[in-house]
Amino acid sequence: MRGLSLSSIVGRIAITDGMDDQAIKALEDAGHEVTSTHYSIEELLDGVLAEFDAVVVRSATKITAEVLASSSSDGSKLGFIGRAGVGVDNIDVAAATNNGIVVCNTPGASTRSVVEMTIGHFIASARHIARADRSLREGKWQKKELKGTEIAGKSLGLIGLGRIARGVADAASSLGMEVHAYDPYVQSSPDWINMHDDVDDLFRKCTHISVHCNLSEETRNLVNSARIGMMPGVGNDGTACGNHIVSCARGGIVDESDAAMALQNGQLQTLALDVFDREPLGDSELLSLDGFHGSPHIAASTMEAQRRIGTEMTSLLIEYFETGSPSTSLN
Ligand code: MLT
């Protein structure tokens, strides 16, 4: 990988979407010069990153092929892109590779936080917690209208069975849910998880669906009207609990306008999203629907996850500056 010489063991690092304070201090204590600033797309396209040896982003900064082209002029030092988190859909990894830039993420550091957020959204959905709070603030006392259902005794369908989905499976199972999953890429799974070869079967079987796959051409709008229409609406325990979907994975996998329609026609009782096709969300018809509640992409935003992410990213950066090639990278 390019950019590093023995004299650049101390580097200039841009942190564009924030990182844990202790991690920044550890980098500064190791002698690195850290600039913590969010750059606009215009500044990125003007080549501001060429001034740095390394950049660390979360999801707000998009490192496109154009940004890399303008940051890779003669004399550019940029040799490391760190994704403080899991998803690298905001980084053109192939373009980085072509430019000799190493890309690293911190895949396991936020698992527990995202698992807890997913379960939290399911319970908030089934018990109308967000809706109850909204109605209290409007001065209403909707004790009768806000009757919920238990998640125990229902089938949970996981789309994708990676680290986070497996954590959700454990938690859901301990709360009394039967767990199902669809993941054409996994080789093995615990025998108490019912695997499906066809994603449609997962929708037919489950009243609760949780999204845990990456966004790709294959998964864009995978959760759509046709599939929502297949969900049974009645739990294994015979309760007419309606259908519920949660996504803390990536925007664009749930077709938001199909889901809004399903909330309106009753095929879906609730939808809880932490991630959206367009972020920040701005105006959305979802915001006017009682069965919807959301959060602004904060599933990994806990003190614990951000500390672990910071610690892991600091080690990767220090390793990069010492050896030129961190032990775990995506390219
Ligand atoms: C991730 O991919 O790590 C999450 O979406 C968290 C984030 O970007 O904040």
Side-chain angles (χ1 to χ4, degrees), residues 56-280:
V56 178
V57 302
R58 284 184 69 183
S59 54
T61 302
K62 315 286 177 220
I63 309 278
T64 61
E66 293 73 30
V67 166
L68 288 173
S70 48
S71 310
S72 300
S73 52
D74 284 350
S76 164
K77 303 186 291 175
L78 187 67
F80 178 103
I81 300 170
R83 167 65 164 98
V86 187
V88 287
D89 43 305
N90 56 323
I91 300 168
D92 191 325
V93 179
T97 308
N98 289 339
N99 283 290
I101 300 172
V102 66
V103 182
C104 297
N105 66 349
T106 55
S110 50
T111 302
R112 178 50 31 193
S113 295
V114 184
V115 167
E116 291 185 7
M117 186 75 166
T118 304
I119 296 292
H121 271 312
F122 271 119
I123 294 176
S125 293
R127 301 304 307 274
H128 310 300
I129 293 176
R131 194 174 148 194
D133 178 69
R134 289 196 300 259
S135 85
L136 264 189
R137 285 165 199 260
E138 287 164 11
K140 297 179 190 156
W141 189 258
Q142 297 190 303
K143 197 171 164 68
K144 286 203 184 74
E145 294 87 335
L146 294 172
K147 185 190 278 175
T149 51
E150 294 176 353
I151 59 172
K154 316 298 184 298
S155 283
L156 170 67
L158 304 167
I159 302 176
L161 193 59
R163 286 186 190 83
I164 294 169
R166 285 170 196 248
V168 170
D170 279 335
S173 164
S174 73
L175 289 167
M177 299 189 90
E178 183 178 288
V179 181
H180 296 252
Y182 164 79
D183 189 330
Y185 302 103
V186 295
Q187 309 295 332
S188 64
S189 58
D191 54 13
W192 54 270
I193 298 184
N194 302 280
M195 294 303 295
H196 295 263
D197 293 334
D198 181 348
V199 70
D200 290 354
D201 288 342
L202 192 78
F203 281 84
R204 283 191 195 97
K205 179 70 200 165
C206 299
T207 46
H208 295 64
I209 292 280
S210 189
V211 179
H212 296 286
C213 55
N214 295 328
L215 175 66
S216 66
E217 280 320 300
E218 202 186 343
T219 62
R220 179 166 287 283
N221 297 332
L222 185 148
V223 180
N224 54 30
S225 293
R227 295 204 171 99
I228 294 170
M230 295 172 186
M231 296 174 74
V234 178
N236 300 343
D237 60 0
T239 309
C241 58
N243 298 313
H244 307 265
I245 294 177
V246 170
S247 179
C248 295
R250 271 295 171 272
I253 300 167
V254 175
D255 183 319
E256 290 168 24
S257 68
D258 278 16
M261 212 157 48
L263 285 170
Q264 279 159 319
N265 67 25
Q267 276 173 334
L268 207 51
Q269 186 174 109
T270 70
L271 169 72
L273 297 179
D274 184 58
V275 289
F276 298 87
D277 203 12
R278 183 171 41 102
E279 295 181 5

Side-chain angles (χ1 to χ4, degrees), residues 58 110 113-114 117 274 296-306 309:
R58 284 184 69 183
S110 50
S113 295
V114 184
M117 186 75 166
D274 184 58
H297 203 148
I298 52 168
S301 293
T302 61
M303 291 168 72
E304 295 87 344
Q306 292 308 314
I309 288 170

